[in-house]
Amino acid sequence: MRLVLASTSPRRLDLLTRIGAVPDRVAAPDVDEDVRPGELPRPYVLRVATAKAHAVTRADDEIVLAGDTSIAVGRRILGKPEDEADLRRMLALLSGRRHHCLSAICVIGPDGKARTRVADTVVAFKRLSDADIDWYVASGEGMGKAGGYAIQGKAEAFVRFLSGSHSGVVGLPVFEARALLAGAGYPLG
């Protein structure tokens, strides 16, 4: 049985290999990740993860795994910042408050059945000063990251509380990934 990772994220690849699931190939899914009008965070991440899994060609002996991670503040979905001003806006919004990191996984097994899970992690940032925001923006680390931060990097210094899956905030909840892969028949040690 062969594993296909429907993602070019180096973080997802690293997290998968940590649980002994080394993909036989990596494919870049081409899907629309725009938030639809009125779409709520949980259905959004599930839709995108499922679309990514279905966007990759799968042979009969292959299992496809795809994921999507988003940051939600209430009903608002924070994607990847468009520019430095957008990153500053996101950090100011996250400052001193709790938010949800929703990390969805979709696994399509040899039977063609799509199996999904969502890890919901609550993260609270300390109150960020202008100097904190300037320092983080200058690092360049937040660009290209959901919600404008990478918990596995410098932004970890802002986290005063976390309840849930740390790996889910990084980009792939490994507990859920392992369970879905096992359910699809992928051999794990």
Side-chain angles (χ1 to χ4, degrees), residues 94-155:
L94 297 172
S95 176
R97 67 185 333 173
R98 289 182 181 213
H99 59 275
H100 291 261
C101 176
L102 299 164
S103 194
I105 302 174
C106 180
V107 170
I108 301 176
D111 59 1
K113 179 181 175 186
R115 296 159 174 86
T116 60
R117 292 238 179 122
V118 176
D120 183 351
T121 303
V122 176
V123 181
F125 272 16
K126 74 178 196 103
R127 190 166 306 282
L128 302 176
S129 67
D130 290 341
D132 290 330
I133 293 173
D134 290 343
W135 170 75
Y136 194 69
V137 169
S139 77
E141 185 179 86
M143 296 306 294
K145 307 289 188 306
Y149 73 91
I151 198 167
Q152 71 277 19
K154 293 173 176 54

Side-chain angles (χ1 to χ4, degrees), residues 35-105:
V35 179
R36 294 176 180 162
E39 194 167 30
L40 296 174
R42 187 180 199 88
Y44 166 75
V45 294
L46 266 174
R47 176 181 62 82
V48 173
T50 303
K52 288 178 181 180
H54 285 290
V56 171
T57 305
R58 182 187 60 79
D60 290 341
D61 67 337
E62 290 182 322
I63 292 176
V64 174
L65 182 143
D68 190 63
T69 301
S70 288
I71 302 300
V73 179
R75 298 169 62 102
R76 288 173 283 192
I77 299 168
L78 302 185
K80 298 172 184 171
E82 295 177 11
D83 53 30
E84 189 177 291
D86 197 28
L87 175 58
R88 288 179 181 282
R89 178 190 64 81
M90 288 182 187
L91 292 171
L93 184 63
L94 297 172
S95 176
R97 67 185 333 173
R98 289 182 181 213
H99 59 275
H100 291 261
C101 176
L102 299 164
S103 194
I105 302 174

Side-chain angles (χ1 to χ4, degrees), residues 22-34:
V22 180
D24 296 287
R25 72 182 170 96
V26 174
D30 183 23
V31 300
D32 177 14
E33 295 187 37
D34 290 339

